Amino acid sequence: MLLEKFYPDAWVDSTYQIDFDRLYERGYRGLIFDIDNTLVPHGAPADDRAKALFAHLKKLGFSCCLLSNNKLQRVEMFNRDVQVSFIENAHKPSGKNYRRACSLMRTSPDETLFIGDQLFTDVYGARRCGMTNVLVKPIHPKEEIQIVLKRYLEKIVLYFYRKDRKRQGISCSGNIPLIGENGGK
């Protein structure tokens, strides 16, 4: 089906409910994150929750990279408090900077996981590189108009995604050990 190229490998409510300890145990070593509406609301600096997450990820041994279509100033502002590799003006869904992020982290696409909130940029770009990806629900409803318009199209894709998963007997969190015992779906 044409829409399948936009299907996420998993779909969860929040980045903050993902069981990163289990992912590390399963062999993932690199994590690439979108920023806005994935980690914090649009334009917000790293909050306490984001700071704690990245401190935990570093302690586990993950290499992390921020991959954003935003400009340098926005990405630097968020990264000031988390201090990971980043690529701004990434032109997602182009695969070039997904591969560059793996290079910066010294990981391969098969041991790297991408986490983002948009199908047509985040998920599609990761899929084009053969990278496992997780779609998270947007943190905040306030978004730029071009994103609001894309959300209507995303609803159509996600309708068929859920329908296909149900028909196949697969949960939306897929076969990826994403959710801890106490969280999520």
Side-chain angles (χ1 to χ4, degrees):
M1 178 188 249
L2 175 66
L3 297 179
E4 288 176 355
K5 64 183 172 185
F6 300 110
Y7 285 3
D9 292 312
W11 184 24
V12 298
D13 288 337
S14 169
T15 299
Y16 299 100
Q17 74 177 133
I18 296 172
D19 189 341
F20 290 103
D21 296 59
R22 284 182 64 200
L23 290 171
Y24 194 85
E25 289 171 8
R26 293 284 176 104
Y28 289 98
R29 294 298 179 260
L31 298 169
I32 303 173
F33 292 90
D34 177 50
I35 299 171
D36 288 325
N37 256 346
T38 298
L39 294 165
V40 293
H42 272 275
D47 57 17
D48 290 341
R49 191 166 65 159
K51 292 174 199 176
L53 173 64
F54 282 97
H56 180 68
L57 296 174
K58 290 174 188 179
K59 184 178 177 185
L60 286 174
F62 276 111
S63 294
C64 299
C65 186
L66 305 172
L67 187 64
S68 176
N69 284 345
N70 277 302
K71 294 181 178 160
L72 178 63
Q73 181 181 7
R74 164 65 182 127
V75 180
E76 281 182 331
M77 184 258 288
F78 178 86
N79 195 45
R80 191 171 300 128
D81 291 318
V82 298
Q83 294 296 303
V84 296
S85 299
F86 68 86
I87 300 169
E88 79 284 352
N89 200 19
H91 301 286
K92 294 181 285 182
S94 169
K96 176 183 173 185
N97 284 314
Y98 289 81
R99 290 186 291 278
R100 184 171 158 222
C102 286
S103 179
L104 288 171
M105 296 185 300
R106 295 185 172 94
T107 61
S108 63
D110 64 327
E111 63 183 350
T112 303
L113 185 78
F114 183 90
I115 299 127
D117 70 299
Q118 293 188 50
L119 286 179
F120 302 121
T121 53
D122 299 329
V123 168
Y124 182 51
R127 286 184 62 89
R128 293 176 71 194
C129 296
M131 188 178 297
T132 303
N133 61 81
V134 179
L135 178 69
V136 297
K137 292 180 181 173
I139 289 174
H140 194 275
K142 184 178 183 230
E143 297 181 299
E144 298 170 351
I145 187 65
Q146 70 272 17
I147 296 171
V148 171
L149 296 174
K150 283 193 279 185
R151 294 285 186 210
Y152 289 108
L153 296 174
E154 284 183 352
K155 285 179 183 181
I156 295 166
V157 174
L158 290 170
Y159 168 81
F160 287 104
Y161 168 78
R162 281 189 299 267
K163 188 175 176 178
D164 286 351
R165 290 285 180 154
K166 186 175 182 179
R167 183 178 44 79
Q168 296 172 32
I170 302 170
S171 76
C172 286
S173 62
N175 296 322
I176 306 167
L178 291 172
I179 306 303
E181 299 302 319
N182 298 325
K185 300 182 187 253

